[in-house]
């Protein structure tokens, strides 16, 4: 794969977008490779948490405007079935940490939001600048941003295309941590390793339950949570976690 670099550091893996010359603009080829890389890691039992990242200057500056939008028509867009790739990313079962440094704009911001956790370098800038191109966000920006930061802040960001710096993104709940520019990727990997040490089945069900909170009623979400909670009592990892607590030792979770 040329547009995406995968580095395994079991039990985590880092997937780096690799088109630095165009600020990691999300070409069709890059998106294909990204989906394939994530699905392979998702099926790999040795990997428990995935970091998706770019480089110091850019996470991703959005869809590749030159190759994807210049000649595009509604029909060509429909035929490419662009949404399928994004849905496949959404369906990855392993937790994905988006580690953002520099620009995360348009589809870049949407890609970060389709991940499970967003962390940022202090240099990060988030935005949905699509209105400047005469379009609107098309990969979930109007929906995920609104559910994350609320109507009035999302409205202001989407209608102006304004870029939001890391600290402001943290204050609005889009970003979980802001890390120093010198160590942001190491810090993001440390977070991923912390998650990778936890019981994988509980992590998976917690991730699903939190996502259900964004797409259902409170009653349906509570019902999902309750069932998932009960289910975990059938796992070896629950026995291990409780036994380790009672006996004052560190647990080792096996994902069973
Ligand atoms: N596409 C193509 N090339 C890009 C690019 C992009 N999005 N962003 C930057 N580049 C290229 C520049 O053209 C330039 O190339 P050369 O001219 O050197 O050949 C190179 O990267 C460096 O960029 P700049 O010279 O512009 O660098 P600056 O530091 O001056 O400015 C910038 C950085 C990020 C502020 C600026 O490049 C910029 O405004 N870029 C565009 C940002 C943007 O508008 N993004 C939103 C695009 S719309 C969907 C899925 C996805 C989407 C929609 C639907 N479906 C599933 C339905 C997504 C849509 C979008 O993302």
């Amino acid at each position: 794969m040329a547009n995406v670099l995968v580095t395994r550091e079991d039990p985590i893996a880092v997937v780096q977008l690799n088109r630095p010359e165009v600020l990691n603009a999300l070409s069709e080829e890059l998106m294909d490779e990204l989906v394939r890389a994530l699905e392979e890691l998702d099926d790999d039992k040795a990997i428990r948490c995935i970091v998706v990242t770019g480089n110091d200057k850019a996470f991703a500056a959005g869809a590749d405007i030159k190759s994807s939008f210049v000649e595009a028509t509604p029909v060509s867009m429909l035929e490419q079935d662009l949404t399928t790739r994004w849905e496949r990313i959404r369906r990855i079962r392993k937790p994905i940490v988006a580690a953002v440094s520099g620009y995360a704009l348009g589809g870049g911001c949407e890609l970060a939001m389709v991940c499970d956790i967003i962390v940022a370098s202090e240099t990060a800038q988030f935005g949905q600048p699509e209105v400047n191109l005469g379009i609107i966000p098309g990969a979930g920006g109007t929906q995920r941003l609104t559910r994350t930061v609320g109507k009035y802040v999302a409205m202001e960001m989407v209608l102006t295309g304004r870029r939001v710096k890391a600290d402001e993104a943290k204050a609005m709940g889009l970003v979980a941590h802001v890390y120093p520019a010198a160590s942001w990727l190491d810090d993001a990997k440390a977070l991923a390793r912390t998650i990778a040490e936890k019981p994988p089945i509980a992590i998976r069900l917690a991730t699903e339950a939190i996502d259900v909170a964004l797409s259902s009623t409170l009653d349906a979400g509570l019902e999902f949570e309750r069932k998932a909670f009960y289910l975990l009592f059938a796992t070896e990892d629950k026995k291990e976690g409780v036994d380790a607590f009672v006996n004052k030792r560190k647990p080792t979770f096996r994902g069973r």
Side-chain angles (χ1 to χ4, degrees):
M1 292 195 222
N3 298 290
V4 159
L5 305 176
V6 178
T7 315
R8 298 181 57 122
E9 300 176 24
D10 298 11
I12 71 165
V14 178
V15 178
Q16 184 188 15
L17 311 183
N18 187 39
R19 298 185 76 213
E21 67 289 356
V22 286
L23 306 178
N24 291 333
L26 304 169
S27 60
E28 304 305 308
E29 296 77 16
L30 183 149
M31 287 303 294
D32 266 341
E33 290 179 24
L34 175 62
V35 170
R36 261 194 291 139
L38 291 174
E39 287 180 344
E40 273 173 31
L41 293 168
D42 204 23
D43 288 340
D44 187 330
K45 284 221 153 43
I47 299 298
R48 291 191 178 182
C49 188
I50 303 166
V51 176
V52 171
T53 195
N55 53 53
D56 282 340
K57 185 148 190 228
F59 178 73
D64 191 317
I65 299 169
K66 294 175 199 163
S67 70
S68 302
F69 287 173
V70 176
E71 304 289 342
T73 66
V75 173
S76 70
M77 291 266 181
L78 204 66
E79 281 175 344
Q80 283 177 59
D81 203 8
L82 302 168
T83 311
T84 305
R85 289 197 198 98
W86 291 78
E87 281 303 304
R88 283 165 67 188
I89 297 175
R90 184 157 86 94
R91 295 195 186 291
I92 299 292
R93 300 174 305 272
K94 305 247 165 90
I96 308 180
V97 176
V100 175
S101 178
Y103 300 114
L105 303 179
C109 188
E110 291 168 309
L111 178 60
M113 288 192 289
V114 87
C115 297
D116 298 300
I117 298 177
I118 307 177
V119 295
S121 154
E122 56 199 354
T123 66
Q125 293 188 40
F126 297 84
Q128 298 290 164
E130 287 87 343
V131 280
N132 297 326
L133 300 171
I135 56 176
I136 66 169
T142 61
Q143 303 304 301
R144 291 199 180 94
L145 189 64
T146 305
R147 282 167 162 77
T148 305
V149 304
K151 169 179 168 178
Y152 304 101
V153 175
M155 201 62 94
E156 189 266 345
M157 282 179 68
V158 171
L159 300 194
T160 65
R162 177 172 76 90
R163 299 205 290 259
V164 166
K165 294 195 173 136
D167 282 342
E168 189 180 351
K170 166 102 170 47
M172 59 173 65
L174 183 60
V175 159
H177 290 292
V178 178
Y179 298 131
S183 64
W184 63 276
L185 187 53
D186 287 338
D187 293 336
K189 288 200 270 185
L191 172 66
R193 273 191 289 274
T194 300
I195 296 167
E197 282 179 9
K198 308 290 182 207
I201 304 172
I203 290 291
R204 175 170 167 187
L205 292 178
T207 308
E208 287 180 19
I210 290 169
D211 280 339
V212 168
L214 295 182
S215 62
S216 74
T217 61
L218 179 61
D219 279 347
L222 290 171
E223 191 56 29
F224 182 94
E225 181 192 78
R226 204 170 299 132
K227 297 273 165 56
F229 178 76
Y230 295 152
L231 180 62
L232 287 163
F233 280 72
T235 63
E236 286 178 24
D237 282 346
K238 173 259 155 194
K239 281 197 191 76
E240 168 67 6
V242 172
D243 185 74
F245 175 80
V246 170
N247 292 299
K248 299 187 188 299
R249 63 176 175 84
K250 193 172 182 286
T252 304
F253 295 117
R254 298 203 160 76
R256 294 198 287 254

